[in-house]
Amino acid sequence: CRWLQNHTSIWETWLPDATKCFPQFGLYNEVSKTFVRDRADSAGLGCRACESGSFSVELQDDKGTTHVCNPCLPGSAQPSGAAKTCDPCPRG
């Protein structure tokens, strides 16, 4: 127990970071039930698959790499969700 108390800088790096989202996922605030664009307020943050109509993009910040969900641009769509890109809409 003393070793743990005296060496937190070593073992804290072993703990998983709930805000480290992988591609196809984005930062999600469990309290407000919304996707967020950064980790400025990490309370209640986790990762969730991007919803249809959005796609996952990489975010670099002072905590490292994570991903956030961006809405598809006009003229594109993503009907399935959990995507890394949006597809162009068919003409018509």
Side-chain angles (χ1 to χ4, degrees):
C1 288
R2 285 192 183 129
W3 184 91
L4 288 174
Q5 293 171 338
N6 294 329
H7 296 90
T8 55
S9 63
I10 294 173
W11 61 263
E12 279 183 332
T13 61
W14 302 342
L15 300 175
D17 180 357
T19 67
K20 184 175 178 167
C21 304
F22 294 101
Q24 300 174 310
F25 289 75
L27 292 170
Y28 186 80
N29 186 307
E30 295 290 342
V31 176
S32 65
K33 306 290 186 213
T34 58
F35 285 95
V36 296
R37 309 272 305 138
D38 58 46
R39 294 190 265 199
D41 180 11
S42 61
L45 281 188
C47 298
R48 184 171 281 195
C50 293
E51 297 176 330
S52 60
S54 65
F55 66 105
S56 177
V57 294
E58 187 176 284
L59 170 70
Q60 293 284 335
D61 62 14
D62 60 335
K63 296 178 184 176
T65 303
T66 190
H67 287 79
V68 296
C69 297
N70 278 353
C72 293
L73 296 174
S76 64
Q78 184 44 257
S80 65
K84 295 190 288 184
T85 61
C86 292
D87 301 322
C89 294
R91 291 184 176 222

